[in-house]
Structures are given as structure tokens and as C-alpha cells.
Amino acid sequence: MSSGLPAGVDLTNTLLILGGVGLVTLLLRALPFAAMRYFRESALVAWLGIAMPAGVMTVLVMYTLVNSTENPGGIGAALIAVVATAALHLWRRSATMSILFGTVIYMLLVNLVF
């Protein structure tokens, strides 16, 4: 019976390898949820929940602005998107809406305008 595998590749070994990889992937994805009950009351985790979003956004904005001279649209598209994102966030106070809007504006400017 032909399994469609290249010559010299055994179906049993392939299935065992894929099963092992799948099991490890499942365990790694479940681990944070299983460990969460131990960290739920942690002051460090609470602080990270407050500080991380602003820190991550700062790093992303700086990365975009520093590397924008090499990208299509240049610094102009990046600055317009940052100003639009900040303005929407000051108006609506919604991080999700601001990030999505800023990303859409940047992508439109880079791909359609500049």
C-alpha cells in the first residue's frame, strides 16, 4: 500500500513524530492556563497587566518611527498614523480601537498613497 510518502520514509515513524510534536504543542499551550491559578493573586502579574500594554505600544511606535525611513511611505506615513492613533485614543479611550485604526491608516498610506 502506498501512503504517498517519499521512498525510505516510514508511515509509522512519521505518525509517531507528528503525535509527539502535537502532544508537546498541546501541553505548551495549556501550561499558561494551568499555571494561572498560582499567579492570580501575584502582585507582579497584576503590575505587568497594567504596565505591559503601554510598554509594548511604546516599543512598537519607536520601532516603526526609527525604521520608517527604510519602508515605503517613509516617515510621513508613520507620523500621520501615530498622530491619528493618538488623536483617536484621546477622544475614545479605547486601546483596541486606536491600535486597529492606526494600523489601517498606516497600511492605507503605505500601500495606496505614498
Side-chain angles (χ1 to χ4, degrees):
M1 176 174 110
S2 174
S3 60
L5 295 171
V9 176
D10 183 33
L11 180 61
T12 304
N13 286 340
T14 303
L15 291 176
L16 287 172
I17 290 169
L18 288 175
V21 168
L23 181 63
V24 168
T25 301
L26 179 69
L27 291 173
L28 287 174
R29 290 180 184 250
L31 184 64
F33 296 102
M36 192 61 188
R37 65 179 156 172
Y38 298 110
F39 297 115
R40 197 171 304 276
E41 302 299 323
S42 169
L44 175 63
V45 172
W47 178 79
L48 288 174
I50 294 169
M52 287 294 289
V56 169
M57 286 308 303
T58 302
V59 169
L60 289 173
V61 168
M62 296 309 298
Y63 176 81
T64 300
L65 291 175
V66 167
N67 292 317
S68 63
T69 56
E70 303 164 6
N71 296 333
I75 194 80
L79 286 175
I80 292 169
V82 167
V83 169
T85 303
L88 180 65
H89 188 72
L90 290 173
W91 176 46
R92 300 295 295 189
R93 297 281 184 208
S94 170
T96 304
M97 186 185 305
S98 302
I99 293 167
L100 288 174
F101 177 75
T103 303
V104 168
I105 291 295
Y106 182 70
M107 289 294 114
L108 287 173
L109 289 170
V110 168
N111 290 301
L112 299 177
V113 177
F114 288 100

